Amino acid sequence: MTLDELPMGRTAVIREVGGQGPLRLRLLDMGLIPRTRVTLQKVAPMGDPIEIRLRGYELTLRREDARHIVVETEAAQG
């Protein structure tokens, strides 16, 4: 599943950060790196952007960018 598909209030772990060139580097610079736990906090009224919590701070991210981040829910990790 990708980060844009994560249900509200659920926590997941980043498995892979995709994208090309500057986009991928920007995502990594924002702290979206593999093995980081993220929680979907809020979704804007029109569905974009989304707000996630990671590493003790909130980050707002466009759904288009969130599609490049592969996550695994904690229940699926088992």
Side-chain angles (χ1 to χ4, degrees), residues 11-14 31-39 52-56 74 77:
T11 298
V13 176
I14 297 174
L32 297 163
I33 58 174
R35 295 189 301 275
T36 300
R37 291 180 58 182
V38 297
T39 304
I52 58 173
R53 182 165 182 78
L54 71 152
R55 300 177 180 270
E74 293 187 323
Q77 294 174 30

Side-chain angles (χ1 to χ4, degrees), residues 4-46:
D4 67 307
E5 300 170 326
L6 189 65
M8 178 75 76
R10 293 291 304 270
T11 298
V13 176
I14 297 174
R15 290 291 165 217
E16 179 182 328
V17 178
Q20 300 265 332
L23 171 63
R24 184 170 192 279
L25 291 176
R26 185 170 60 89
L27 294 172
L28 294 170
D29 286 345
M30 288 189 287
L32 297 163
I33 58 174
R35 295 189 301 275
T36 300
R37 291 180 58 182
V38 297
T39 304
L40 181 60
Q41 296 286 97
K42 299 178 188 171
V43 178
M46 298 298 284

Side-chain angles (χ1 to χ4, degrees), residues 4 6 9 23 44-45 47 51 60 62 69-70 72:
D4 67 307
L6 189 65
L23 171 63
E51 182 179 287
T60 302
R62 295 182 304 176
I69 302 165
V70 177
E72 183 177 337

